[in-house]
Amino acid sequence: MLQLLFDDEGHRTLVAADGHKALDLAAQGATLPDLIIADYNLPKGLNGLEIILRLQKQVQRTIPAIILTGDISTDSLREIASHGCVHLAKPVRAKELTCLAQRLLATSVSAAPDRVQQLPLRQGKDQPSTIFVVDDDRAVREAMGDLLRENGYSVELFADGA
């Protein structure tokens, strides 16, 4: 859902299921992140802050970062703040997250390398893109369809690839 939200805002969004996959994406070198949004509690042994620090070391520059958290200790919140990361408590509102992301991106834009022009998902105000949602879980499929329709897209839902 975060990918849909940020893609709709005009960003190119890469998603990783865990920290190790995020590090692998960065190691491939196809793209350098301008912003990292990570859950604090991640599967497979690394937390979001550890991933952010490793990614910054890997690309050898500071990357603005937002850590989404549920209920964590005060010590963890202090550690997040000490590394210059912004913390948002879950559940987070989409508007709050996108505004914060825009603010962080705007402050780091002067230090960022040349960017590739981002193409919008919409073809124009009169021609919304049609998005096929393919998911075997009916609730997920319908929720994604509702979210996309609310944002002006034409949506078709499918329970399978056929």
Side-chain angles (χ1 to χ4, degrees):
M1 290 304 196
L2 288 177
Q3 183 174 17
L4 290 172
L5 175 68
F6 282 99
D7 283 350
D8 190 47
E9 293 281 319
H11 301 283
R12 181 169 172 239
T13 311
L14 298 176
V15 178
D18 60 56
H20 297 287
K21 289 186 180 8
L23 292 170
D24 290 344
L25 277 173
Q28 292 171 9
T31 188
L32 296 176
D34 297 312
L35 175 70
I36 302 168
I37 300 174
D39 190 1
Y40 184 79
N41 294 310
L42 294 172
K44 301 188 179 176
L46 297 172
N47 68 42
L49 182 58
E50 292 168 327
I51 294 306
I52 289 165
L53 296 175
R54 286 185 185 195
L55 281 169
Q56 290 177 342
K57 184 177 180 180
Q58 192 169 331
V59 299
Q60 298 180 343
R61 68 178 174 92
T62 300
I63 305 166
I66 301 170
I67 295 189
L68 306 176
T69 64
D71 185 23
I72 62 172
S73 72
T74 304
D75 289 339
S76 296
L77 292 174
R78 281 191 191 109
E79 186 180 11
I80 291 167
S82 74
H83 289 287
C85 298
V86 180
H87 146 257
L88 288 177
K90 291 193 239 176
V92 63
R93 294 174 189 243
K95 185 73 172 169
E96 179 183 15
L97 181 59
T98 56
C99 286
L100 177 57
Q102 289 297 343
R103 193 171 74 234
L104 291 173
L105 287 167
T107 59
S108 69
V109 74
S110 61
D114 293 336
R115 297 169 189 264
V116 175
Q117 181 181 0
Q118 303 301 312
L119 299 176
L121 286 180
R122 297 173 197 252
Q123 296 174 6
K125 295 226 186 271
D126 297 330
Q127 297 176 311
S129 299
T130 299
I131 299 177
F132 287 15
V133 175
V134 183
D135 197 301
D136 63 336
D137 185 318
R138 181 179 181 184
V140 170
R141 187 172 62 243
E142 289 178 357
M144 288 175 39
D146 290 344
L147 176 68
L148 291 164
R149 282 187 200 98
E150 287 174 15
N151 285 282
Y153 292 97
S154 171
V155 179
E156 293 190 38
L157 305 176
F158 301 95
D160 58 48

